[in-house]
C-alpha cells in the first residue's frame, strides 16, 4: 500500500474499511468534547457498549432466581464457561477442548507450570526472554524456588544482541540446543510486551520438542491481536489475559490452553479443585480427585460469572467481526500507516537532534498492532506532552512509548491525527 499523509487519504481508507462500523460498539474516553486518540488497547481495551447489557442479564437472574440461576438462568452459571469453548478456540487457533476461560493470567501461568515445569535430575532449568514482563519473572522465580532451586541458577535467559532491541530466533534456537539436557521448560512471551516483537512460535516449539522439552507461551499481548495456531504448532500450553486486546474489563477473567495431547493425561500433575472434577458427577462429592479430560480439568473454582459476562460481550463482537483474519488484515494496514506517519515526522525533526526510533520489527510477520518507540532527545517529556494533548499511549521503563492502533475500534483518521499532534509537539519542543 502506498500511503499519503493527508486527512483525505485517511478518511478514504476508513470509508473502504469493512470493519469501520465496529468503532461504534465501543465507549471512548472523551477529550475536549471528542473521542480521545486511544492507543492503549494493549493495556486496557475499551469497554464494549454491550457489556452493560450482558452483565445486567446476570444481575437480574441473580436477583430473580438467586441460587436457581446456576441451572435455571438464561445463561446457566454452572456451564457459563462452556459458551467460550467454540469462539475462543477459533480466536486462539485451538480445538474446543483445549481452551478454558478461568482465573487470571499470572494464576494460570502458575497452574500451567505446575503441570509443565517438572524438573527431573539434571533437567531443571527454565528458558525465557531477558525482557519478560515482571509478573512472569516473579512467577518463574518462585516456581524454581518451589522446586528447591536458586532462581539465579535455574533461570536461563535469551537477550537481544548488543546494540539490538529484539531477539533473534537463531539465538533462541541455539540456546535451546546448547542447554538441551538442562532445560525442563521453555516459556516465552509470544508477543513481547515491551518491544512488540512476535516470536517464531513454530520454530521455538519444534526446537524444544526435538530436545524433549515442554514449550509454552504467555500470550497476553498476542491474544486478540494476531492470528495464532496453537494446536497446529503443537504448543504444549499457553495463557493470556482478556483485558488487553480482548476488551473484557480491568482484571477480567483470563484464558489457558493445554494441547489435546496432554488433556487426557490424568496423571499429569496439576493443582486440583472441585471445578476441575468431572462435571457430571461433581456433586457426588467423591473424595478422590478425578479431573475432566479437557482443559476444564485445570479449573479450580466455580466461575466468576459477572467478569465472564463482560468477556462474552467482547468475544461476541470478535465473532461478529469474522474472527482474527479480517481484523489482522486491517491491523497490518493500520499499523503500517502509523509506521509511515512516524517516518514522515522523523524527516521533519531530523535537524533538531530528535528521532522517534521504532524498536518493533519492521517485518509485519514479526509484530502485531503495537509499535514501541524510543523518543531520542526528548524521552518522557514527549510522552507527557502527548497525554496532555489527549493522546492515550503508555510509557514503559526505561524509555519506551507504546502505541497500539487496534483494528476493532481505531481508525486511519485516529492515526493521522496522532501524527499531527506528535509533529506539532516535537517541532515546538526545546
Ligand atoms: C499484562 C501482562 C501480565 C499481567 O498479569 P495479570 O496476572 O493479568 O495481572 C502478565 N504478563 C504479561 C506478559 C503481560 O503482558
Amino acid at each position: 500500500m502506498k500511503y499519503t499523509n493527508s486527512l483525505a487519504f485517511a478518511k478514504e481508507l476508513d470509508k473502504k474499511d469493512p470493519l469501520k462500523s465496529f468503532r461504534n460498539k465501543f465507549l471512548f474516553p472523551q477529550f475536549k468534547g471528542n473521542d480521545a486518540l486511544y492507543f492503549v488497547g494493549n493495556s486496557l481495551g475499551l469497554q464494549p457498549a454491550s457489556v452493560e447489557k450482558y452483565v445486567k442479564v446476570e444481575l437480574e437472574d441473580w436477583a430473580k432466581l438467586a441460587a436457581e440461576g446456576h441451572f435455571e438462568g438464561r445463561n446457566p452459571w454452572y456451564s457459563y464457561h462452556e459458551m467460550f469453548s467454540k469462539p475462543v478456540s477459533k480466536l486462539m487457533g485451538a480445538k474446543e477442548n483445549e481452551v478454558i476461560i478461568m482465573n487470571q493470567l499470572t494464576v494460570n501461568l502458575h497452574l500451567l507450570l505446575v503441570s509443565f515445569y517438572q524438573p527431573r535430575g539434571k533437567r531443571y532449568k527454565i528458558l525465557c526472554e531477558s525482557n519478560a514482563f515482571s509478573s512472569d519473572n516473579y512467577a518463574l522465580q518462585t516456581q524454581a524456588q518451589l522446586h528447591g532451586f536458586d532462581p539465579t541458577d535455574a533461570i536461563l535467559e535469551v537477550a537481544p544482541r548488543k546494540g539490538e532491541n529484539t531477539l533473534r530466533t537463531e539465538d533462541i534456537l541455539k540456546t535451546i540446543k546448547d542447554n538441551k539436557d538442562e532445560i525442563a521448560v521453555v516459556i516465552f512471551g509470544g508477543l513481547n510486551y515491551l518491544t512488540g516483537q512476535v516470536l517464531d512460535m513454530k520454530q521455538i516449539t519444534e526446537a524444544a520438542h526435538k530436545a524433549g522439552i515442554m514449550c509454552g507461551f504467555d500470550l497476553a499481548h498476542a491474544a486478540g491481536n494476531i492470528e495464532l495456531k496453537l494446536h497446529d504448532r503443537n504448543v504444549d500450553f499457553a495463557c493470556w489475559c482478556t483485558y488487553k486486546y480482548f476488551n473484557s474489563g480491568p482484571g477480567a477473567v483470563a484464558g489457558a490452553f493445554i494441547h489435546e495431547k496432554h488433556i487426557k493425561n490424568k496423571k499429569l500433575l496439576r493443582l486440583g479443585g472441585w471445578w476441575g472434577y468431572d462435571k457430571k458427577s461433581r456433586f457426588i462429592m467423591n473424595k478422590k480427585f478425578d479431573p475432566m479430560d479437557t482443559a476444564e480439568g485445570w479449573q479450580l473454582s466455580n466461575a466468576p460469572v459477572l467478569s465472564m459476562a463482560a468477556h462474552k460481550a467482547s468475544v461476541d463482537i470478535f465473532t461478529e467481526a469474522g474472527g482474527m483474519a479480517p481484523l489482522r488484515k486491517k491491523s497490518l494496514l493500520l499499523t503500517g500507516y502509523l509506521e509511515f506517519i512516524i517516518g514522515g515526522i522523523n524527516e521533519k525533526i531530523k535537524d533538531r537532534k530528535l528521532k522517534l526510533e521504532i524498536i518493533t520489527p519492521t517485518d509485519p510477520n514479526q509484530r502485531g498492532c503495537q509499535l514501541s518507540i524510543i523518543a531520542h532527545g526528548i524521552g518522557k517529556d514527549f510522552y507527557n506532552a502527548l497525554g496532555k494533548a489527549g493522546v492515550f499511549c503508555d510509557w514503559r521503563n526505561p524509555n519506551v512509548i507504546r502505541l497500539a492502533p487496534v483494528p476493532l475500534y481505531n481508525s486511519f483518521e485516529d492515526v493521522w491525527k496522532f501524527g499531527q499532534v506528535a509533529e506539532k509537539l516535537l517541532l515546538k519542543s526545546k
Side-chain angles (χ1 to χ4, degrees):
M1 159 88 52
K2 202 169 157 359
Y3 294 117
T4 306
N5 185 351
S6 79
L7 179 58
F9 178 80
K11 284 191 160 171
E12 188 57 32
L13 285 185
D14 283 329
K15 216 168 96 191
K16 287 192 202 136
D17 170 15
L19 297 172
K20 60 176 176 286
S21 65
F22 282 81
R23 181 183 178 90
N24 302 326
K25 296 182 189 290
F26 291 88
L27 304 175
F28 278 75
Q30 298 296 296
F31 181 77
K32 296 192 173 159
N34 294 308
D35 289 351
L37 296 174
Y38 195 80
F39 297 112
V40 280
N42 58 311
S43 178
L44 186 73
L46 289 178
Q47 181 183 147
S50 55
V51 161
E52 193 174 329
K53 196 178 77 199
Y54 280 68
V55 174
K56 221 166 154 197
V57 167
E58 306 315 323
L59 289 175
E60 284 169 4
D61 281 2
W62 179 17
K64 269 195 253 166
L65 305 169
E68 302 278 286
H70 285 292
F71 296 98
E72 305 300 329
R74 281 167 278 180
N75 309 304
W77 305 327
Y78 190 71
S79 51
Y80 198 98
H81 67 277
E82 291 174 13
M83 293 196 288
F84 295 113
S85 311
K86 192 169 168 192
V88 171
S89 61
K90 282 204 179 127
L91 294 169
M92 300 303 291
K95 291 193 168 185
E96 287 184 31
N97 53 1
E98 293 174 324
V99 296
I100 181 69
I101 294 299
M102 61 177 186
N103 310 314
Q104 287 167 304
L105 171 55
T106 308
V107 176
N108 288 344
L109 180 57
H110 274 296
L111 293 179
L112 292 168
L113 286 169
V114 166
S115 296
F116 294 100
Y117 174 49
Q118 295 193 25
R120 297 256 189 283
K122 250 173 61 181
R123 241 182 222 267
Y124 64 95
K125 293 193 175 169
I126 301 171
L127 181 69
C128 64
E129 73 252 59
S130 62
N131 57 359
F133 189 81
S134 60
S135 198
D136 300 52
N137 282 327
Y138 308 149
L140 299 179
Q141 288 163 20
T142 50
Q143 281 283 332
Q145 285 171 334
L146 190 66
H147 290 279
F149 301 111
D150 173 0
T152 55
D153 169 48
I155 296 178
L156 269 181
E157 293 177 350
V158 185
R161 291 187 189 181
K162 212 172 152 85
E164 297 182 6
N165 293 301
T166 49
L167 296 174
R168 295 199 192 195
T169 309
E170 65 208 83
D171 293 351
I172 299 173
L173 302 184
K174 185 169 185 305
T175 311
I176 294 174
K177 211 167 148 207
D178 290 350
N179 300 276
K180 65 178 168 41
D181 299 327
E182 297 193 341
I183 300 173
V185 67
V186 169
I187 168 91
F188 281 89
L191 194 159
N192 185 269
Y193 81 100
L194 186 67
T195 64
Q197 179 185 22
V198 174
L199 293 183
D200 189 329
M201 294 185 234
K202 179 169 185 268
Q203 286 207 60
I204 294 169
T205 308
E206 276 173 9
H209 288 172
K210 215 168 137 196
I213 303 168
M214 291 291 179
C215 186
F217 294 93
D218 182 331
L219 301 174
H221 284 266
N225 181 6
I226 57 172
E227 289 181 88
L228 294 159
K229 293 185 180 154
L230 297 180
H231 177 83
D232 290 348
R233 295 288 185 250
N234 227 351
V235 169
D236 292 294
F237 66 98
C239 48
W240 60 94
C241 53
T242 68
Y243 49 81
K244 291 171 180 163
Y245 297 105
F246 275 139
N247 315 309
S248 305
V253 67
F257 164 90
I258 299 117
H259 197 278
E260 192 171 48
K261 67 189 172 191
H262 300 301
I263 52 179
K264 291 188 201 308
N265 179 4
K266 295 193 181 191
K267 290 208 185 91
L268 192 58
L269 195 68
R270 71 190 80 186
L271 296 183
W274 73 322
W275 234 249
Y277 189 92
D278 182 9
K279 60 190 161 191
K280 290 184 219 83
S281 51
R282 187 176 289 151
F283 285 103
I284 297 172
M285 303 283 194
N286 270 335
K287 269 241 160 117
K288 194 173 168 334
F289 180 53
D290 180 22
M292 273 177 278
D293 59 3
T294 68
E296 293 169 285
W298 271 261
Q299 293 174 112
L300 299 180
S301 298
N302 75 92
V305 167
L306 295 180
S307 176
M308 283 182 165
H311 186 44
K312 183 72 170 58
S314 177
V315 165
D316 285 352
I317 293 174
F318 273 80
T319 302
E320 198 187 329
M324 289 312 301
L327 286 165
R328 176 66 175 160
K329 198 170 162 201
K330 174 176 172 186
S331 183
L332 290 170
L333 274 181
L334 193 62
T335 295
Y337 194 44
L338 178 60
E339 186 178 38
F340 166 80
I341 292 285
I342 291 171
I345 294 174
N346 279 331
E347 278 304 307
K348 295 198 180 151
I349 60 176
K350 66 179 178 211
D351 302 337
R352 312 189 45 144
K353 294 208 172 94
L354 296 172
K355 184 175 190 249
L356 300 182
E357 181 197 359
I358 299 175
I359 62 169
T360 307
T362 46
D363 172 8
N365 292 320
Q366 290 183 57
R367 69 186 186 200
C369 68
Q370 172 187 323
L371 292 184
S372 302
I373 294 163
I374 298 177
H376 294 283
I378 178 165
K380 201 162 185 180
D381 288 346
F382 179 53
Y383 162 73
N384 289 335
L386 284 172
K388 285 203 189 97
V391 176
F392 282 68
C393 52
D394 68 9
W395 175 267
R396 282 291 173 268
N397 280 333
N399 57 355
V400 174
I401 294 171
R402 301 186 301 178
L403 281 166
V406 170
L408 255 183
Y409 50 71
N410 281 122
S411 63
F412 292 89
E413 189 174 334
D414 284 344
V415 170
W416 180 81
K417 282 181 177 160
F418 162 78
Q420 295 295 299
V421 174
E423 188 177 309
K424 221 156 99 196
L425 290 173
L426 290 165
L427 286 176
K428 73 168 200 222
S429 73
K430 287 190 189 164

